Amino acid sequence: MVQDLYAPSLQHALDVAGIFVFAISGALLAVRKNFDVFGIAVLAEVTALGGGIFRDLMIGAVPPAAFTDLGYFLTPLVVTVLVFFLHPEVERLQLGVNIFDAAGLGLFCVTGAVKAYAYGLGLTASAVLGLATAVGGGVLRDVLANEVPSLLRWDRDLYAVPAVVGATLVVLFIDHGMLNGATATLAVVTVFILRLLAMRYHWRAPRAWNRRSEVAEREEG
């Protein structure tokens, strides 16, 4: 089957690692927002699992994997406990968290696109759901925390764009009969490197040409 790119045990370990890192970003935002322990757990779960749940519901893979694999559901709760007691230490490791988050972004956009295609979607729709898998949890996290989603803000380093590139690579590989473990890994690594470069050099998407925004001008001033 097309989504069986890696050995099941390796795929599961990679998924749990990605869930763990995504959950950290949700839990840390909850701490910054002064949420209680339940709020921390909710943001950790939503950030880590929201994109995958959305994808599975869209393609009819029900119940979603997040509810059939106990490890997927429990991992954000483990993160909740760690962040609840050790959030100052976790904050100091933010650079490392961002690096692993970039790896998770690459993994999730690739596996999301592959799974969507395996369930019968076309190439374009599969790429879109690959993107949704990677960034959907972060969007839900920001909405619940009453924040403008990070991927919509001009003052944030590129995040969605690397995922778009990765998902596009996957569907191109599928279209040319080249998708395998090696090419899927290449797509993951491409997303990872693009995200790291965006963080290092503060790459940002362009805004509207000749814009006239008082809000933006006040923010810049």
Side-chain angles (χ1 to χ4, degrees):
M1 198 171 182
V2 71
Q3 76 258 38
D4 295 332
L5 298 173
Y6 307 110
S9 58
L10 175 60
Q11 180 68 57
H12 188 267
L14 292 172
D15 285 345
V16 170
I19 288 169
F20 184 88
V21 177
F22 279 12
I24 288 177
S25 70
L28 286 177
L29 178 60
V31 170
R32 296 186 197 112
K33 287 286 187 175
N34 204 30
F35 288 4
D36 62 17
V37 65
F38 182 76
I40 297 172
V42 168
L43 252 61
E45 291 280 359
V46 164
T47 309
L49 304 177
I53 291 173
F54 174 80
R55 175 205 61 214
D56 288 351
L57 292 176
M58 291 297 99
I59 64 179
V62 292
F67 298 118
T68 59
D69 189 310
L70 192 59
Y72 290 173
F73 183 78
L74 291 181
T75 297
L77 298 183
V78 173
V79 170
T80 297
V81 174
L82 290 175
V83 172
F84 183 81
F85 290 105
L86 301 174
H87 60 87
E89 288 76 11
V90 176
E91 287 277 14
R92 284 196 289 270
L93 298 173
Q94 190 63 56
L95 176 60
V97 171
N98 288 341
I99 291 173
F100 283 105
D101 181 88
L105 181 74
L107 175 67
F108 281 15
C109 77
V110 168
T111 57
V114 170
K115 185 171 183 178
Y117 184 80
Y119 273 77
L121 270 67
L123 296 176
T124 300
S126 296
V128 170
L129 281 183
L131 171 64
T133 304
V135 306
V139 171
L140 291 173
R141 172 202 65 205
D142 292 342
V143 169
L144 289 175
N146 198 29
E147 295 269 333
V148 175
S150 294
L151 81 165
L152 300 181
R153 294 184 56 171
W154 68 270
D155 58 343
R156 293 291 188 270
D157 301 333
L158 292 180
Y159 193 81
V161 171
V164 170
V165 172
T168 301
L169 281 175
V170 169
V171 298
L172 287 175
F173 289 143
I174 292 173
D175 192 38
H176 289 82
M178 297 171 57
L179 184 68
N180 53 46
T183 55
T185 301
L186 175 62
V188 172
V189 172
T190 299
V191 177
F192 178 67
I193 292 174
L194 285 176
R195 173 57 180 158
L196 291 185
L197 289 173
M199 291 190 293
R200 173 65 178 83
Y201 296 106
H202 303 297
W203 291 347
R204 293 168 184 173
R207 287 177 286 170
W209 185 257
N210 287 331
R211 62 186 174 82
R212 291 292 183 269
S213 171
E214 295 181 0
V215 173
E217 290 169 1
R218 286 199 300 270
E219 288 176 349
E220 292 171 353

